[in-house]
Amino acid sequence: MKDTLTVGLGNRSYPIILGNNLDADIEAILSGHREEKRQYAVITDEHVSLAHKAFFEKHFSGSPVMVLPAGEFSKDLSVLGRVYDFLAANRIDRTSSLFAVGGGVIGDLAGFAAASYLRGIVFYQVPTTLLAMVDSSVGGKTGINLEAGKNLVGAFYQPKAVLADMRFLRTLPPREFSAGMAEVLKYGLLGDAGLWEKLCSAGTLTPTHSELPGVIKTCCEIKARVVAEDETETAEQDGRALLNLGHTFGHAIEKVAGYGIYLHGEAVACGLVLAARLSQELGYLNATAVSSIMQMVLNYHLPAKLRETMSLESLMKAMGSDKKVKFGKLKFVVLHKIGEAHTDGNIETALVEKLWREAGAE
């Protein structure tokens, strides 16, 4: 069974292909390159490379493949420089393509390399994690981290196609799958009450759960629609910024804890609970709704509070350097109800500090 969605961006529109075995689709792209004598290279990480040797041998035997260390530390300026050197050493030119085969880190890093190398080459997203399939591979946000904060260097640069092959999920470590579920929960909360109800009633999803393909498709549909309406996150209100639900808190957690201590989805899960509490404090959500959000987070063994005490001052400072700050003010995403979110740039600092303290900061 295969589904194809479209991210509608005019002449830059591209497909999201979802299925359980996309060998034929990948080979069709590669055979087109071979027929036209266009080169292609691959960026992946050591975990994916080891778990899917047969995949790489089948499709990329004889092609330049760069295998990077797995984890958030690879989204770094020094690693980006190594990627540029790899592309140059293998004579990748403007007719060539780059394939990002991995999770969100690989997709973000390789996507930014593609956006900036020779001022832009074609790249394809082949996401191998749940988080990448439902979120980071779609929409063209690429980038790397700086010491000052997460994703502070990057570009909006759309892929040529996204090929989400769900067989990759069968080798995904349980912790990584759970981290991806944080982004799935986010989509239900911010824009689809029906999806949220399905998630609540389906039990705990697993890589082989019958509901998972449909859930992934729904998340991609939501993301594609939002991106088509506000590609570069410039809407004055709501727009693509809604996809940051939980992320303003989550990015601060990642930064202060040290990149890699929390998986991105784990930090986002904690951020979702904080966003729910913020929404409750503002009078939108009741205690029952907040409790249901917290329970769904805990069902996937994700953190609802900080695992260890963090400095409140450091967390607030990290939020202040977030890329979403405009004119010195930070915009939060709040839930008016489950399935309906809005941005709010008038949140009092004292309230944010109170929520951090409840979560374990001091």
Side-chain angles (χ1 to χ4, degrees), residues 324-344:
K324 294 179 285 298
V325 171
K326 291 183 178 180
F327 303 110
K329 299 190 73 173
L330 191 58
K331 187 177 289 187
F332 289 84
V333 183
V334 297
L335 296 168
H336 284 210
K337 61 182 179 180
I338 289 179
E340 181 185 332
H342 296 283
T343 54
D344 190 331

Side-chain angles (χ1 to χ4, degrees), residues 14-33:
Y14 58 91
I16 306 169
I17 305 172
L18 305 152
N20 272 306
N21 188 327
L22 300 181
D23 281 339
D25 300 270
I26 293 170
E27 199 51 40
I29 294 169
L30 296 179
S31 62
H33 281 66

Side-chain angles (χ1 to χ4, degrees), residues 123-142:
F123 88 108
Y124 292 83
Q125 289 273 19
V126 186
T128 62
T129 67
L130 178 60
L131 187 149
M133 287 184 187
V134 300
D135 193 70
S136 63
S137 69
V138 178
K141 276 191 177 181
T142 71

